[in-house]
Amino acid sequence: MTTQTHPVDHELVQAAAHVARTRCRGDNHTMAAAARAVDGRIVTAVNAYHFTGGPCAELVVLGAAAAQGAYELETIVAVGDRGRGVVPPCGRCRQVLLDYFPALKVVVGQGERLRTVTITDLLPESYVWADHQPTDEETPPHDTD
């Protein structure tokens, strides 16, 4: 696997860090995410932790972006509260991000090792849901008996 890095969007990292620092309170909100839409807008959100597995900040930011009419995202980053810095997306978020935005770039790493990679670099040999749906030609006719 060859990973091509892209320039780090430091403004996006700072936006997520600001939200993590100022909006994450207690155990319910411990992560912040920021995403840049193709039109340049930055959308932010926090996770909604719950013992049943509430949504991660990356997934909440997808909904917030859609609610603001930002349907095409180009880069995303998540930052932990209490100065934890950039946190890579979990497996579930990686899959959802890939399914929604297969060309999405993701900021990962810490300090001097901060870098931006594509979501496909984080999920090599990944399952792409849309690629495995039957087409009309593949769907067998329904039995009418």
Side-chain angles (χ1 to χ4, degrees):
M1 174 181 78
T2 303
T3 300
Q4 178 184 1
T5 59
H6 304 272
V8 173
D9 187 336
H10 292 284
E11 182 183 19
L12 195 63
V13 175
Q14 290 170 355
H18 175 75
V19 171
R21 190 172 50 256
T22 61
R23 301 290 183 244
C24 290
R25 306 248 189 250
D27 292 336
N28 293 333
H29 308 292
T30 58
M31 295 289 298
R36 185 176 297 280
V38 296
D39 65 7
R41 283 185 286 168
I42 293 177
V43 179
T44 60
V46 297
N47 70 319
Y49 177 79
H50 190 263
F51 73 92
T52 61
C56 296
E58 296 95 330
L59 300 185
V60 176
V61 87
L62 295 184
Q68 295 176 35
Y71 297 106
E72 295 295 324
L73 302 180
E74 65 178 24
T75 307
I76 194 167
V77 64
V79 173
D81 67 346
R82 294 171 277 188
R84 290 183 290 145
V86 173
V87 177
C90 72
R92 175 180 67 169
C93 286
R94 291 175 191 210
Q95 185 67 52
V96 172
L97 294 171
L98 173 72
D99 288 339
Y100 273 70
F101 305 106
L104 186 70
K105 295 184 290 276
V106 183
V107 180
V108 296
Q110 292 286 320
E112 296 296 316
R113 298 188 60 210
L114 202 63
R115 63 198 183 283
T116 302
V117 299
T118 62
I119 190 66
T120 54
D121 286 334
L122 296 179
L123 271 176
E125 300 297 326
S126 58
Y127 173 85
V128 179
W129 182 83
D131 291 346
H132 298 282
Q133 301 311 302
T135 63
D136 289 339
E137 296 84 36
E138 296 173 345
T139 305
H142 294 294
D143 190 8
T144 58
D145 290 339

